[in-house]
Amino acid sequence: MNELTTIWPDFAPDFFCKANLCQHSCCRGWEIDIDAAAAEWYQLLDGKIGAELRKNIVQAEDGTYSFRLTKDERCPFLRRDGLCRLILELGEDALCEICTMHPRFFVLCGNVELAGFGLACEKTVELLLAEEGPLTFYREGNEQKRITFAELVKGLGLLGEREEADRLDLFSFRPEHDAKKIRQLFLLMQKTEPIDEVWSEHLNDLLREDEKVRKCCETYTGLYETAAFDRIFQYIAYRQLGTAANYGLQAIYRYAQMSTMYIFIEAAVTENLAEAVRRWSEQIEYSEENTALLLQAAGKSKN
Ligand code: SF4
C-alpha cells in the first residue's frame, strides 16, 4: 500500500493560536461537538472541573455530545480574558478532538492528504497575507523543497486536456468589472444559508448600493495587490482539490474565482482585506451546504 503523503502550505510552520489575543475566537459562535472518547473521559473526571464539565455537556437525540453554549454563544470554558479553562486547569491533552484540531483541515485527494488551516481563523489569514511571493507548498518532512500551486495540481494528476500547468490564467485571480456579473454574484451569495443576521443585512446593503460598490471596485482595481489575491485564490482552490472528481477542476477554479471576487468587493468597500477573507470563510467554507452550493453553481457556469 502506498504511504500517505501530507502536503502543507508554506506558512504552516509559523501557525500558532493567538488565544486571548484573538479578536474572533473560534470558541464562540459555533456549536462545539465533543468526540465520544473525550465525552466519556469528561464524565469520569473528579473534582470541581469534572462536575462543571458534566453540567455543561449536552447529548443530542442521535447520541452525539456538544458543549452547552452560554446565552451569548460562548464555550462555557472560555474565560472572559480569552483563555481556555480546560487548558489552564487540565492541560492541552484534555481538549476534545475538535478543539485540538481546529482550525486545521485535512482533505484527501487520491493518496495525498492536503492539509491546512481554515481561513475563518484570523491567524491563518494573517499568515496567508504576510508573504509577498507566490503561494507554495511542501511535503510533510521535506519543508525545504517548495512547489507552486500549478506544480501541485499537475503532480496530483488533475490537469486535463483543457488545462496546462503553465497557463497562468488558470491559477490567478482576475477581477470582474461587469456590473451585471457582480450583481449575479450577490444574488448567488444570497442563496447561501446566512451565518448570522449581520451577513444578510450587509449583503442586502451591497445589492441596494450596487453603483457605489461598482465605483469602489473600480478604484480598488488600481490599488489591490495582485500577489495577495493570487495567494487567496490558490488557497481557496487548494482546499477544494479533493472534490475535483465530483465537480471537475474547472468548477473549482470558478468557485475560487467567484469567492475571491466576493472578497475583492468586500475589501474594496470596507478597506479591510483580512476581515473580508475571514468573514467569507466563516460564511462559505465552514458550511458544507454553502460550499456545495457555490461549487455546483461554478460547475454550471460557463465563465
Ligand atoms: S480563530 Fe485561530 S487564532 Fe483565534 S482562537 Fe481560534 S485558532 Fe486561535
Side-chain angles (χ1 to χ4, degrees):
M1 194 196 289
N2 286 343
E3 215 179 296
L4 192 73
T5 298
T6 302
I7 304 290
W8 289 94
D10 49 17
F11 58 84
D14 298 323
F15 181 85
F16 61 87
C17 170
K18 292 172 74 177
N20 56 327
L21 298 178
C22 181
Q23 302 284 313
H24 304 95
S25 168
C26 52
C27 310
R28 58 176 193 237
W30 315 93
E31 192 168 296
I32 308 167
D33 291 335
I34 306 170
D35 55 289
E40 201 176 306
W41 186 66
Y42 291 159
Q43 301 291 348
L44 301 172
L45 263 183
D46 290 333
K48 190 167 166 255
I49 193 90
E52 280 186 59
L53 271 162
R54 284 183 284 285
K55 208 172 93 191
N56 284 295
I57 290 176
V58 280
Q59 189 173 19
E61 277 178 16
D62 63 2
T64 54
Y65 298 93
S66 61
F67 286 113
R68 188 189 304 280
L69 299 185
T70 62
K71 277 194 192 122
D72 53 354
E73 298 206 312
R74 296 165 63 90
C75 171
F77 295 95
L78 177 65
R79 300 194 332 180
R80 283 287 149 191
D81 63 3
L83 293 174
C84 169
R85 274 189 62 208
L86 296 183
I87 295 181
L88 292 175
E89 294 180 34
L90 298 169
E92 291 215 10
D93 289 347
L95 293 181
C96 62
E97 203 177 294
I98 224 166
C99 294
T100 304
M101 297 310 290
H102 188 84
R104 292 161 190 80
F105 64 79
F106 299 90
V107 173
L108 259 191
C109 189
N111 62 349
V112 176
E113 184 177 53
L114 306 175
F117 303 86
L119 288 170
C121 163
E122 65 181 53
K123 183 66 192 175
T124 309
V125 180
E126 278 174 25
L127 291 171
L128 180 69
L129 300 181
E131 284 289 330
E132 288 174 3
L135 183 63
T136 56
F137 300 85
Y138 66 90
R139 181 192 294 243
E140 193 166 87
N142 191 1
E143 220 179 282
Q144 304 311 318
K145 191 171 183 297
R146 303 292 170 100
I147 55 169
T148 63
F149 181 65
E151 287 165 340
L152 174 68
V153 173
K154 194 176 180 186
L156 290 169
L158 297 176
L159 288 178
E161 282 175 13
R162 295 175 65 194
E163 303 105 357
E164 293 162 29
D166 54 356
R167 272 191 52 202
L168 286 179
D169 58 326
L170 283 177
F171 302 103
S172 313
F173 168 67
R174 298 176 304 282
E176 180 60 73
H177 298 294
D178 184 333
K180 202 171 141 205
K181 286 190 179 154
I182 291 177
R183 196 173 172 79
Q184 280 169 354
L185 177 58
F186 289 154
L187 294 174
L188 176 64
M189 293 302 261
Q190 257 190 341
K191 288 185 188 161
T192 61
E193 186 62 34
I195 181 165
D196 52 32
E197 279 178 26
V198 177
W199 170 271
S200 306
E201 282 165 17
H202 180 62
L203 197 49
N204 289 340
D205 288 345
L206 292 176
L207 265 163
R208 250 194 315 272
E209 298 179 27
D210 57 352
E211 184 48 26
K212 190 173 145 203
V213 170
R214 200 191 55 73
K215 281 193 182 141
C216 284
C217 288
E218 220 172 79
T219 310
Y220 196 56
T221 300
L223 303 172
Y224 84 104
E225 287 177 38
T226 52
F229 273 84
D230 283 350
R231 284 178 71 85
I232 296 167
F233 170 89
Q234 293 177 2
Y235 193 61
I236 288 174
Y238 168 70
R239 187 167 179 166
Q240 299 306 326
L241 289 178
T243 68
N246 291 345
Y247 297 104
L249 198 54
Q250 294 287 336
I252 293 171
Y253 290 145
R254 284 194 289 266
Y255 162 85
Q257 169 66 25
M258 60 173 75
S259 297
T260 312
M261 186 59 208
Y262 187 81
I263 291 166
F264 179 93
I265 295 166
E266 273 293 304
V269 171
T270 63
E271 296 178 14
N272 187 343
L273 173 59
E275 181 57 10
V277 175
R278 204 194 62 75
R279 195 66 176 137
W280 165 85
S281 176
E282 267 188 353
Q283 168 66 18
I284 303 298
E285 279 187 325
Y286 279 78
S287 159
E288 280 179 24
E289 290 79 15
N290 288 347
T291 303
L293 190 144
L294 288 202
L295 278 166
Q296 279 159 15
K300 286 177 197 149
S301 162
K302 294 277 175 281
N303 299 309

